[in-house]
Amino acid sequence: MDPTAAKIVLAAQRGDSINRIAEKVDISYSWIYDWIERLDGADFIANTDDGIQIVDHEMRRHYDEMMGALYRRDCISQEDAYIIPHFAGMEFAYTEIDAAYVWTHGGYQIARSHDDYPVFIDVHDQDVDRWIAFFEQYGIDTAIDERSDASDVEGDIYYVLFPTAGGIETEWVDGNPVIPLDETVEQMMDNRPAYEPALEIIDEEYDMDIDASHHDRMTAD
């Protein structure tokens, strides 16, 4: 009942590589590799040619209960906030502020602090109740479609869910599922003054050829 083992089993989705799991839980590849061998030997998971598969679903349930108890007892860190959604076993993608945060590799933050840290994710419409129940198990509040006032939520970190009736298109960046870069830039352009530094980072790294007319106009003013 080790927390590292629990994170591996909870974060693993059928077909995941060891590297993908290491990125999801933000632990070194070599350490995850060692644990995968142990868990495979204990028949909790299977390391196959097609990737990792969960074998013992009862143990996965025990791990889920254990991690829920740990996170209810302790404060959740910013790093934890980007690991916990992987434990839900449901599809999601980081969006809004967190799309910019992920695409800039954590290089851009806006309108958040350590004591008021909403995390923004797209989820399937039919999964909303399950997401709310999942975060409740971990002692974490949720909001729908817009961030809550800090005084209305328990704890420093909570999740803002954006339900979508269609599919969720994702790309993977540093172990995080995130909305596509084009969609991220489109969201940022809707509030360009706030996102200008992030747009410059993205333009430089991904050669997006972002129109600079707005920035030029601000400078002229």
Side-chain angles (χ1 to χ4, degrees), residues 13-18 21 46-54:
Q13 295 292 310
R14 179 181 289 271
D16 274 353
S17 66
I18 297 176
I21 295 171
N47 185 10
T48 74
D49 291 340
D50 296 322
I52 303 300
Q53 297 180 19
I54 302 299

Side-chain angles (χ1 to χ4, degrees), residues 5 14 25-26 37 45 53 75 94 118 127 152 159 164 173 182 185 187 213 215 219-220:
R14 179 181 289 271
V25 299
D26 195 26
E37 288 195 325
I45 64 170
Q53 297 180 19
C75 292
Y94 291 110
D127 291 339
D152 294 333
Y159 292 84
T164 176
V173 178
D182 288 344
V185 170
Q187 288 184 354
S213 60
H215 180 70
T219 302

Side-chain angles (χ1 to χ4, degrees), residues 9 14 44 53-62:
V9 172
R14 179 181 289 271
F44 293 170
Q53 297 180 19
I54 302 299
V55 174
D56 191 334
H57 292 276
E58 182 66 15
M59 181 56 73
R60 187 189 190 283
R61 185 181 66 80
H62 287 312

Side-chain angles (χ1 to χ4, degrees), residues 25 56 82 106 121 123 154 172 185 191 215:
V25 299
D56 191 334
Y82 295 94
I121 58 175
V123 301
E154 293 286 339
W172 283 84
V185 170
N191 188 19
H215 180 70

Side-chain angles (χ1 to χ4, degrees), residues 116-137:
D116 180 21
Y117 200 93
V119 179
F120 301 83
I121 58 175
D122 281 345
V123 301
H124 290 294
D125 205 11
Q126 69 268 23
D127 291 339
V128 169
D129 288 343
R130 290 177 61 204
W131 276 106
I132 293 172
F134 167 77
F135 286 126
E136 282 180 350
Q137 176 188 336

